[in-house]
Amino acid sequence: AAPAAGAVAEPLSQQPAPIFAGPDVTAEQAGIPQTHGLSLYLHAAPEDQPLAGAIADQLDAVGVMVLCPSPRPQQSFQECLLEHENALRQCQGMLLLNTGERIGNLMSAWQLARRIFGARRAGPWSAALHLPPPGHPDVPIRNVLQVDCRNGFDIRALGPFFAALQADGNADPSALRHA
C-alpha cells in the first residue's frame, strides 16, 4: 500500500524486500566498464531519497559522480527547476529510480532531462533502475534503458548502461555542452 500523504519513508533496514542483492564492489571487481570521470543525474521520488542516497554511495564507490539535487524549504518552483537543469548540464546521463510509485514523477523528470540531453545527444543517455518490490511495470518511455533490479540492487546490472555512455564518448561533460 502507498504511504499516507506526509508519511516518512521507512529506513532501509526496516523495508520488507531486500534492496541490495550484490556485494559492495569496485568497478574492476564488478567487471563493469571504467566509470571514473562519469557523472550521472540521479532522480528519485521524495519518498525514495534515502534509497537514492544508498545507491549514490555505491555509484560513488565505483567512481561515478552523482548529482541528486533536492528542493530546499521555501525554494520557488523556478529556483528548483533551474537547479535541476544546471545539474543535468553537468552530467553524461540520467538514472531514474523506479520503486513502482509515482511513474508520472519519473516521466516528468525524464521530459525535463530530454530538453537538455535530447538537444545534444543521439545515443543512450537515460536508464530506469527498477528496484524492489517485484511486479511493478517498466517506465513507459521507449528511449530509456530498462535495468531490472526488482529482486535487489546489484551495481553490476548497470554495466551495460555505463558501457553505452562510455561508447558514446561522453566521459567529458564539457564536450557535451558544446555539441
Side-chain angles (χ1 to χ4, degrees):
V8 176
E10 293 181 54
L12 288 178
S13 61
Q14 295 178 8
Q15 291 194 7
I19 299 297
F20 299 103
D24 288 344
V25 294
T26 64
E28 184 177 309
Q29 291 169 328
I32 57 178
Q34 177 58 262
T35 55
H36 289 286
L38 186 63
S39 60
L40 290 177
Y41 179 94
L42 180 63
H43 178 80
E47 61 273 10
D48 293 330
Q49 290 302 313
L51 178 57
I55 289 173
D57 289 344
Q58 287 202 17
L59 291 168
D60 182 60
V62 297
V64 176
M65 182 180 78
V66 178
L67 296 176
C68 186
S70 58
R72 294 177 305 280
Q74 311 305 322
Q75 186 177 28
S76 73
F77 176 77
Q78 182 178 4
E79 291 169 332
C80 183
L81 183 63
L82 288 173
E83 184 177 335
H84 286 276
E85 283 187 11
N86 287 333
L88 285 164
R89 291 181 195 285
Q90 297 176 47
C91 297
Q92 286 84 33
M94 176 183 211
L95 187 60
L96 300 161
L97 297 189
N98 179 14
T99 58
E101 298 289 327
R102 306 209 189 333
I103 293 290
N105 177 303
L106 297 177
M107 293 185 66
S108 294
W110 186 84
Q111 289 170 343
L112 171 64
R114 184 171 177 251
R115 290 178 46 200
I116 307 299
F117 291 112
R120 67 181 190 206
R121 305 241 342 248
W125 55 266
S126 60
L129 178 59
H130 304 290
L131 298 168
H136 58 78
D138 285 355
V139 173
I141 303 171
R142 189 170 40 111
N143 297 334
V144 172
L145 177 65
Q146 308 288 331
V147 180
D148 191 357
C149 285
R150 289 177 181 93
N151 292 318
F153 176 69
D154 185 339
I155 191 82
R156 294 172 286 199
L158 290 171
F161 181 50
F162 297 152
L165 290 174
Q166 296 293 1
D168 202 31
N170 294 314
D172 180 7
S174 63
L176 294 176
R177 278 189 227 113
H178 303 295

